[in-house]
Amino acid sequence: MNMKKYYAVARNAFKQATAYRLDAVTTFLSSVIFLTLYYAVWSAIDASGDIQGGLQQVMTYLVAGQIVSNAAFLQTEQFIGYRVRKGTIVNELKRPLGLMSHVYFHELGWVVFNTLTKALPIAALGVVFLNIPLPGLVNTAYFALSTFLAFNLVFLLAYANSMLVFWTKVDWSLRMTRNTVTNLFSGVLFPLYLLPAGLSDIFNVLPFRAMADAPIQIFTGQASGIQVLEIFGLQLFWIVIMFILAHLMWRKAKTRLTVQGG
Amino acid sequence: MRESENYKGEESRISSVKKHWSVYKKFFAMYMKSRLIYKADFVLGFTSQLINLIFSVAFLSLLFTQVESIQGWSFNEILLLAGFSGLILNLHHIFFFAPYRLGEDYIISGRMDRYFVRPLNMLFQVFARYIADDNISKVLANIAIVVYAWNQLALNIASVKIVYGLLAIISGVMVIGSIFVTFGTTAFWTGRSQAIFWLFFRISDFRRYPYSIFSQPVKIILITIVPIAFTSFFPTTFLLGMPEWRNWQIISLLIGPVMYLLAYQFWKIGLSNYSSTGS
């Protein structure tokens, strides 16, 4: 079957990832630092005012956000940026699979690695130190599915963004900007259920909410029953839009393909 | 006899400083010329840093939709804290960011070797090679934030505050510098430095919030291993006129040179441990 080559790409990426064990430790510690900081900040806010739903709900939301972002938020721009600068991007065009599917399955290998080494330890940490309630079996499955959809969306946005590298030749600033914008608008930094009404409308029309807030709502139990289906629907809607955008960007970028050095 | 030797020592030190300064100017000019080739990189870096800062302010504003003040600190006071500490941090980054890649770019690659054969200070050569000019946008934006918050809080412009502020910036840049040198030096043993700096970048977010909200272990870290409280909270309390932190405000002005000297001693130990990768 044709699936074999995709599997091979994903497995290779996973093996590659295991060479970056130190990176996994650092990412995990980064999340610990992040949660320590915002536990202190939200505790202080809780002491000075009244948070809707209380401190525990904020922390559950933030821990879930760290699980989702550690598992599904990838730095695809690096993969493409490196190859564009080196000129090896031309090899990607000779492969028996398209550029997008190659990068997709490569990133999928990383997602498996990140889930095992970064996301699951954060979940364990949240349960032990912050008493985070885990969702039931069915909701955990929904959460996993929604996180997977979030990965697809993040991937497509990052892929579309990386096409700009064909013009700029540098990727770190493009990546930084996407991460900056995504982190705030997706809910990773700030629980979106706390937004005042007017601001909430702005966040609702943007695609970022479907990248983290969507699975988080399932994790925290804020969404249930038919709402879970609505969340999947919203994520799929944005995936289709992003897929079209990513394709258009790639078609434009292909015409810009220059190979340095040869 | 002895007197003239002393005199000679003094003179050669002055001429050494002069030499380093003139070399730095040449390195700087060279670096800026090479940057002109990558204008897009500069423009994008400048812009993305600016967007990043705007989003941190937006995040602070979101926090303040929930509450009037965080442990007695109003939005504008926190803004001053974030702006002033950001000014110190990014000012440091423009000139002294190089230790971030010390392990990957200098030690593992063996590039460090060439620095040994030049009659220049080793740490100086590391700094002189890299100017993180994309931080200029954050320095400018942080100055704007400080000015805005200062006006909103209707703080007076007393000359003692101006002098204190300038000294705190100098000392603060040295504190951040000592962290960079210390963290970078660990790469002489580990061969890597970026990973440990990622942790620093995350911890440096603590500077935006009042020191008093943190638990005891965190407070201790912020004045010892990663002493950023001296570059953020303590000096800002002086600018805001909070006398209860008086001792810490004074220490903040003195700690920079002390920490830098300690970090430099650690750097020399690390350097004596360097063995070329031989590639």
Side-chain angles (χ1 to χ4, degrees):
Chain A
M1 238 313 260
N2 252 348
M3 277 317 281
K4 228 170 134 185
K5 59 189 177 190
Y6 299 116
Y7 174 68
V9 171
R11 198 190 46 201
N12 264 345
F14 184 86
K15 276 189 186 160
Q16 238 177 48
T18 56
Y20 293 91
R21 282 178 299 258
L22 180 68
D23 174 51
V25 175
T26 326
T27 313
F28 174 74
L29 289 177
S30 289
S31 281
V32 174
I33 295 167
F34 174 88
L35 291 171
T36 309
L37 171 59
Y38 288 105
Y39 180 75
V41 170
W42 284 103
S43 296
I45 292 176
D46 190 41
S48 320
D50 211 13
I51 313 171
Q52 176 203 333
L55 179 63
Q56 181 69 37
Q57 200 171 346
V58 170
M59 288 321 292
T60 306
Y61 189 101
L62 291 179
V63 169
Q66 288 299 299
I67 295 172
V68 173
S69 65
N70 274 313
F73 282 22
L74 291 157
Q75 314 297 329
T76 309
E77 289 91 345
Q78 268 178 327
F79 182 96
I80 294 182
Y82 178 79
R83 282 160 179 75
V84 169
R85 272 196 309 279
K86 290 274 169 191
T88 54
I89 189 78
V90 73
N91 298 339
E92 304 300 327
L93 304 177
K94 293 187 281 193
R95 285 181 201 279
L97 66 177
L99 178 65
M100 194 194 270
S101 26
H102 177 214
V103 185
Y104 179 82
F105 284 96
H106 177 269
E107 298 293 62
L108 198 58
W110 270 95
V111 167
V112 175
F113 177 77
N114 287 345
T115 304
L116 295 174
T117 61
K118 300 170 187 174
L120 290 180
I122 287 298
L125 189 91
V127 171
V128 173
F129 288 99
L130 294 166
N131 291 318
I132 300 302
L134 290 178
L137 205 61
V138 177
N139 271 355
T140 303
Y142 288 155
F143 171 67
L145 178 59
S146 182
T147 304
F148 175 70
L149 291 175
F151 152 67
N152 282 271
L153 191 50
V154 171
F155 165 75
L156 289 168
L157 175 66
Y159 185 86
N161 194 32
S162 6
M163 289 304 129
L164 296 174
V165 177
F166 282 88
W167 284 268
T168 62
K169 305 285 184 245
V170 286
D171 58 85
W172 73 268
S173 36
L174 296 173
R175 183 160 49 89
M176 180 178 170
T177 302
R178 177 181 59 82
N179 283 328
T180 302
V181 175
T182 305
N183 281 337
L184 187 73
F185 284 120
S186 68
V188 169
L189 288 179
F190 185 86
L192 298 191
Y193 67 88
L194 293 176
L195 287 174
L199 276 176
S200 191
D201 295 339
I202 299 171
F203 282 65
N204 279 339
V205 296
L206 296 171
F208 306 102
R209 194 165 196 155
M211 295 175 191
D213 181 63
I216 294 171
Q217 280 193 43
I218 299 174
F219 187 97
T220 58
Q222 281 159 322
S224 58
I226 194 83
Q227 286 165 315
V228 174
L229 287 179
E230 278 172 21
I231 284 174
F232 291 153
L234 181 77
Q235 288 184 300
L236 285 170
F237 167 76
W238 280 115
I239 286 172
V240 171
I241 302 277
M242 277 301 161
F243 182 79
I244 295 168
L245 178 73
H247 248 282
L248 290 177
M249 292 291 289
W250 168 229
R251 270 177 57 182
K252 274 258 175 224
K254 240 196 296 198
T255 64
R256 285 279 311 182
L257 186 63
T258 49
V259 176
Q260 306 177 12
Chain B
M1 186 65 197
R2 183 171 287 183
E3 208 149 81
S4 79
E5 259 176 13
N6 267 348
Y7 176 71
K8 245 187 196 166
E10 182 86 343
E11 186 166 71
S12 74
R13 204 173 304 135
I14 291 171
S15 77
S16 165
V17 169
K18 268 188 186 160
K19 185 177 70 184
H20 279 80
W21 176 238
S22 83
V23 170
Y24 191 83
K25 281 191 291 192
K26 289 208 174 76
F27 266 74
F28 189 84
M30 209 164 65
Y31 186 83
M32 284 304 151
K33 270 180 206 157
S34 77
R35 286 296 272 167
L36 287 176
I37 305 170
Y38 302 103
K39 280 195 203 91
D41 186 24
F42 174 75
V43 172
L44 283 168
F46 190 93
T47 316
S48 61
Q49 293 280 15
L50 191 62
I51 293 172
N52 185 266
L53 188 81
I54 292 168
F55 271 72
S56 349
V57 174
F59 173 68
L60 278 182
S61 318
L62 283 183
L63 286 182
F64 276 89
T65 60
Q66 304 301 307
V67 77
E68 291 286 307
S69 68
I70 297 178
Q71 279 215 349
W73 284 61
S74 69
F75 175 69
N76 286 317
E77 285 172 327
I78 297 237
L79 206 56
L80 186 72
L81 173 62
F84 187 69
S85 60
L87 172 60
I88 292 173
L89 190 73
N90 296 117
L91 199 58
H92 164 273
H93 287 358
I94 294 177
F95 301 103
F96 307 112
F97 197 73
Y100 166 63
R101 292 184 63 88
L102 192 74
E104 286 80 358
D105 275 11
Y106 296 81
I107 294 172
I108 289 288
S109 68
R111 193 194 260 169
M112 203 77 181
D113 290 2
R114 73 172 85 150
Y115 293 172
F116 279 97
V117 298
R118 294 180 188 151
L120 293 165
N121 181 285
M122 295 291 283
L123 190 55
F124 166 82
Q125 294 186 65
V126 171
F127 286 142
R129 223 198 118 257
Y130 184 58
I131 317 281
D133 49 17
D134 49 86
N135 281 283
I136 294 171
S137 62
K138 274 191 175 166
V139 168
L140 296 177
N142 276 311
I143 291 173
I145 288 173
V146 168
V147 171
Y148 172 84
W150 199 279
N151 275 323
Q152 289 293 309
L153 293 162
L155 295 173
N156 61 333
I157 309 177
S159 52
V160 62
K161 280 190 182 173
I162 302 292
V163 173
Y164 180 92
L166 290 175
L167 290 175
I169 289 172
I170 295 168
S171 178
V173 167
M174 290 177 102
V175 169
I176 306 285
S178 72
I179 297 171
F180 264 64
V181 170
T182 306
F183 279 29
T185 298
T186 60
F188 283 112
W189 290 277
T190 61
R192 293 153 161 271
S193 49
Q194 286 188 45
I196 193 169
F197 275 103
W198 290 337
L199 297 182
F200 168 75
F201 296 142
R202 268 287 161 92
I203 294 178
S204 71
D205 286 341
F206 284 63
R207 70 183 167 79
R208 292 198 185 91
Y209 304 96
Y211 179 73
S212 41
I213 70 169
F214 298 116
S215 60
Q216 204 56 35
V218 173
K219 280 182 181 164
I220 290 170
I221 291 173
L222 296 181
I223 55 172
T224 54
I225 309 168
V226 192
I228 50 172
F230 298 112
T231 74
S232 52
F233 182 79
F234 300 137
T236 306
T237 58
F238 183 89
L239 301 179
L240 288 170
M242 298 177 172
E244 63 270 32
W245 299 93
R246 187 52 34 97
N247 290 340
W248 292 105
Q249 291 161 359
I250 296 164
I251 294 171
S252 296
L253 295 188
L254 308 171
I255 197 113
V258 175
M259 288 209 159
Y260 203 82
L261 279 176
L262 289 174
Y264 188 67
Q265 294 309 313
F266 183 55
W267 157 264
K268 284 208 285 201
I269 296 171
L271 196 61
S272 67
N273 243 289
Y274 175 74
S275 56
S276 174
T277 48
S279 53

